[in-house]
Amino acid sequence: MAEPGTDEPSSRTGSPDGEGQVSGERLLLHQRLAVRELIDTELSYLHVLRLCASDIRSSLQQLPQRDLDVLFSNIDDVIEVNSRFLHDLQETASRKEEQVHLIGNLFLECHEELERVYKVYCASYDQALLLLDTYRREPELQREIQSIIEAVLPQAGPSGLSFLLVIPLQRITKYPLLLQKILENTVPDASAYPVLQRAVSALQDVNTNINEYKRRKEVASKYTKVEQLTLRERLARLNTHTLSKKTTRLSQLLKQEAGLVPRTEDKEFDDLEERFHCVSLCVTEMKNNVAVYLDNLEAFLCFRPQEYDLDIPGGPVVQYCSLMRDLQLQAFPYFKQRLKGLVWQPLCSLAKALAGPQNLIKKRLDKLLDFERVEEKLLEVGSVTYEEQEARHTYQALNSLLVAELPQLNQLAMRWLGQILCTFMGLQRELAQQVLQRAEGSLAQLPHYHLSEPAFRKLVEDALGQTGHQLRSFQENFEKVLPPPTVQPLLPGAERQVQALLSRYGPEKLYQVTSGVSGAGTLDLTLPRGQIVALLQNKDTRGNSSRWLVDTGGRRRSKSRSGLTRTPVT
């Protein structure tokens, strides 16, 4: 019979059941350590994020708000999503037997939301780094920023903001690794194993999608820049490569128009583009209308009859002048100021925001022509160059980005435009109320204050009708006393010239010079009294109606910008 001291080790290491038990216990231990690492690092990560969003961001008040928006991007959304995720993660600890299974399901439930917030943060990260580079060129500012970060997070070290801003990128890429570690320490026949496999795959897809979204954003940022270039600057950018590309695109477009090659149809994008152009047109039209409205308002404010002596004795005129002075000094300027701040400036910002997507849509058409040409070559030859492959990827990135984001852009632009319209109407309503309130005291002293609105309208219509009748009577009397048109004798030898003008223009276009005209400019004519001319246009190219464009009947038409008396030939 064997001794007890030598029997127990052989039972643990020698039998398969004993080895399996030890291996299982070791896996379970490592699994629990991996779960603990996931929860502890998530807790620490969220703590750092909250310090960034609260203490550090609020202490960097020397930076402009737009810089803070770029640096911290949507960190508040990231904190909100990860806070819920951490709460649910900690809840799984109460169910030890099912914890791993619950963690896998939790990642499957949250992966879409994680992708939504992290892709925005990751896409703006490069822009934040560019901003940090500008700060490094200002040593004093850099020292202030570094001292703030060291006071809140000493572990950030000399890297400062760079260390903090990269943490969310590192976290989202670490989730698949943490899950993979849990999966590796889970027995394959456990119910949690396939769930963890799907969770690992889902988080890997999240990182792939974020990288693709970031790449699309980089391509889009390259083409959304709207540059105002002169003709000389545009010509300076031309080279053999750009000319070759433009020629190839034009050739592709002509072949499509001629029906030689098929055109790529994209109904989804076409509908989105049409809606976007409708929104852009509405914004442009409203911007033009508001600009005209502001011009008219400015002209109205410049007209101040109350400041002149109207030579009318007291009464309603005094009340009118007092009211208008009050409105001109306070109500109308305040309305104009609010109109510019609450309507005009947001409208200009909206129009500017739409300029980038408009340029991106135009670039998509160019890239579509490149894509179609490469697809034809791929079908014919079976291979393409690296540059052609990049052209395919560029079009696909632009098209995917536009299809994904144009619906949101259209919706936001319409909402923005609707808010501007509501604000405009609200300002009009407030102005009317202010005018009525200010006029309330003066109205009581006016002679027609006691009249009802219908009676007052009838009174105004009768007064306007009577005044209109007086004006028409004056016009008729004035026309009766006008001297009849005088007819001057024709110049000697002018009959043939007059006949030529008659045959060319007809009698209704012919006029006779009643007094000599001496041309002072390069294109002005010198015309003697009695000369017959044909009227081509009763104003010059600048719209001046006192200078006419006429034909004297010579070998070629002559331009005259001199005043002529309208005396038609009889």
Side-chain angles (χ1 to χ4, degrees):
M1 195 171 177
E3 295 181 4
T6 60
D7 187 42
E8 186 173 344
S10 66
S11 67
R12 291 194 173 202
T13 58
S15 68
D17 293 340
E19 291 180 358
Q21 182 179 359
V22 171
S23 176
E25 290 175 355
R26 186 182 299 114
L27 280 177
L28 183 60
L29 175 62
H30 289 168
Q31 184 189 81
R32 288 176 179 173
L33 290 175
V35 170
R36 175 49 53 191
E37 180 185 2
L38 170 64
I39 298 175
D40 289 347
T41 54
E42 185 70 19
L43 185 62
S44 175
Y45 165 66
L46 194 57
H47 174 67
V48 173
L49 284 190
R50 286 170 176 159
L51 287 177
C52 287
S54 57
D55 296 10
I56 294 177
R57 183 170 56 181
S58 61
S59 300
L60 295 174
Q61 293 304 313
Q62 64 270 46
L63 299 180
Q65 183 59 44
R66 60 179 178 274
D67 285 15
L68 295 176
D69 292 341
V70 172
L71 290 173
F72 295 96
S73 186
N74 66 327
I75 194 170
D76 295 321
D77 296 334
V78 174
I79 291 173
E80 181 183 351
V81 171
N82 278 87
S83 296
R84 293 199 303 267
F85 176 72
L86 176 61
H87 175 268
D88 294 341
L89 202 58
Q90 291 172 329
E91 288 290 315
T92 63
S94 61
R95 301 168 67 179
K96 288 290 185 182
E97 298 298 325
E98 300 176 313
Q99 185 176 16
V100 176
H101 194 285
L102 294 173
I103 289 174
N105 281 331
L106 179 60
F107 271 101
L108 289 175
E109 292 171 2
C110 296
H111 78 277
E112 291 183 355
E113 200 169 15
L114 289 170
E115 178 182 331
R116 178 180 61 82
V117 295
Y118 276 91
K119 72 179 183 181
V120 175
Y121 186 91
C122 295
S124 63
Y125 176 70
D126 289 342
Q127 193 176 357
L129 290 184
L130 293 175
L131 204 53
L132 291 181
D133 288 338
T134 63
Y135 297 158
R136 293 189 182 98
R137 302 189 192 105
E138 302 180 34
E140 185 63 30
L141 177 61
Q142 180 67 14
R143 282 193 293 271
E144 290 179 14
I145 295 174
Q146 186 64 28
S147 63
I148 290 172
I149 294 173
E150 288 178 354
V152 178
L153 274 174
Q155 63 267 36
S159 300
L161 266 179
S162 302
F163 169 81
L164 298 176
L165 297 181
V166 77
I167 289 177
L169 278 74
Q170 295 172 337
R171 188 61 183 175
I172 192 64
T173 55
K174 197 171 182 180
Y175 283 138
L177 302 178
L178 293 170
L179 278 172
Q180 183 66 35
K181 194 171 182 180
I182 298 174
L183 178 65
E184 290 172 355
N185 292 284
T186 303
V187 292
D189 58 349
S191 60
Y193 196 85
V195 177
L196 289 171
Q197 281 184 317
R198 293 199 302 273
V200 171
S201 177
L203 267 295
Q204 289 172 344
D205 290 343
V206 165
N207 281 276
T208 301
N209 295 339
I210 289 175
N211 289 333
E212 179 62 22
Y213 179 81
K214 189 171 179 288
R215 190 180 75 85
R216 292 175 186 174
K217 281 291 187 180
E218 290 170 354
V219 172
S221 64
K222 178 182 176 182
Y223 296 111
T224 49
K225 297 176 182 177
V226 181
E227 298 179 309
Q228 301 296 333
L229 300 177
T230 63
L231 179 60
R232 178 177 296 181
E233 290 170 336
R234 291 178 183 274
L235 292 175
R237 291 191 175 188
L238 288 178
N239 53 46
T240 54
H241 179 67
T242 56
L243 287 174
S244 175
K245 284 201 302 185
K246 292 180 183 299
T247 303
T248 304
R249 289 168 182 168
L250 180 60
S251 173
Q252 182 74 13
L253 187 61
L254 291 175
K255 286 192 291 185
Q256 289 179 356
E257 293 295 331
L260 300 177
V261 295
R263 188 193 303 269
T264 302
E265 297 291 338
D266 192 339
K267 183 70 168 56
E268 182 181 10
F269 175 80
D270 292 342
D271 292 342
L272 291 172
E273 182 187 15
E274 182 179 0
R275 183 168 179 80
F276 175 79
H277 284 312
C278 288
V279 174
S280 300
L281 182 61
C282 291
V283 173
T284 303
E285 287 295 322
M286 185 175 178
K287 184 181 175 184
N288 294 337
N289 290 337
V290 172
V292 172
Y293 184 92
L294 284 170
D295 291 340
N296 292 337
L297 180 61
E298 189 68 34
F300 170 74
L301 293 177
C302 292
F303 180 67
R304 300 180 178 182
Q306 71 276 7
E307 296 182 358
Y308 298 92
D309 185 6
L310 301 178
D311 196 21
I312 300 176
V317 176
V318 176
Q319 281 83 28
Y320 167 78
C321 291
S322 175
L323 175 61
M324 284 307 299
R325 288 191 191 98
D326 185 26
L327 294 176
Q328 289 274 6
L329 290 175
Q330 297 185 25
F332 291 140
Y334 180 63
F335 169 74
K336 177 185 172 184
Q337 178 185 356
R338 297 189 69 200
L339 185 66
K340 285 186 174 180
L342 299 177
V343 175
W344 175 249
Q345 290 178 1
L347 201 54
C348 292
S349 298
L350 177 57
K352 186 178 179 180
L354 296 179
Q358 284 174 340
N359 198 48
L360 201 60
I361 289 173
K362 292 178 183 177
K363 288 294 181 181
R364 177 196 173 274
L365 176 59
D366 293 339
K367 302 304 176 183
L368 175 60
L369 294 172
D370 296 341
F371 174 80
E372 291 171 335
R373 180 182 57 81
V374 173
E375 288 294 301
E376 288 178 17
K377 181 180 177 181
L378 196 59
L379 289 174
E380 294 172 0
V381 182
S383 63
V384 293
T385 64
Y386 173 78
E387 184 180 355
E388 290 170 334
Q389 189 67 27
E390 281 298 305
R392 291 179 75 244
H393 291 161
T394 299
Y395 164 73
Q396 291 169 342
L398 283 179
N399 189 68
S400 300
L401 185 68
L402 286 170
V403 169
E405 298 198 357
L406 270 182
Q408 300 176 25
L409 178 63
N410 290 337
Q411 185 178 3
L412 288 174
M414 286 299 296
R415 191 183 306 164
W416 194 347
L417 186 61
Q419 290 174 348
I420 292 174
L421 282 169
C422 291
T423 302
F424 181 70
M425 291 186 290
L427 290 178
Q428 294 275 13
R429 190 182 303 112
E430 289 178 10
L431 176 64
Q433 292 172 352
Q434 288 182 19
V435 172
L436 287 175
Q437 289 173 0
R438 294 173 185 272
E440 188 173 358
S442 301
L443 286 175
Q445 303 178 38
L446 295 178
H448 307 298
Y449 175 72
H450 63 281
L451 293 179
S452 63
E453 184 176 346
F456 180 74
R457 285 180 179 274
K458 187 175 185 309
L459 176 67
V460 173
E461 290 173 0
D462 292 343
L464 291 176
Q466 183 180 359
T467 305
H469 177 70
Q470 292 174 352
L471 284 174
R472 285 191 296 272
S473 299
F474 176 77
Q475 182 181 5
E476 291 171 359
N477 294 332
F478 181 78
E479 292 175 351
K480 287 178 183 179
V481 299
L482 279 176
T486 57
V487 180
Q488 304 293 332
L490 291 176
L491 296 176
E495 290 83 358
R496 182 179 299 176
Q497 179 184 357
V498 173
Q499 288 299 326
L501 292 174
L502 274 171
S503 62
R504 185 180 299 173
Y505 300 105
E508 66 278 0
K509 291 287 186 178
L510 300 191
Y511 288 76
Q512 188 176 40
V513 180
T514 57
S515 60
V517 177
S518 178
T522 305
L523 296 177
D524 287 357
L525 292 173
T526 298
L527 302 175
R529 180 180 178 182
Q531 171 107 16
I532 301 295
V533 296
L535 177 65
L536 300 181
Q537 190 172 333
N538 61 354
K539 58 184 177 181
D540 65 4
T541 55
R542 296 183 179 179
N544 187 355
S545 60
S546 66
R547 298 158 67 85
W548 291 0
L549 181 67
V550 300
D551 187 356
T552 60
R555 293 183 179 179
R556 61 185 180 87
R557 294 179 182 178
S558 303
K559 291 182 179 178
S560 171
R561 295 193 179 120
S562 302
L564 299 176
T565 304
R566 298 190 178 187
T567 306
V569 176
T570 57

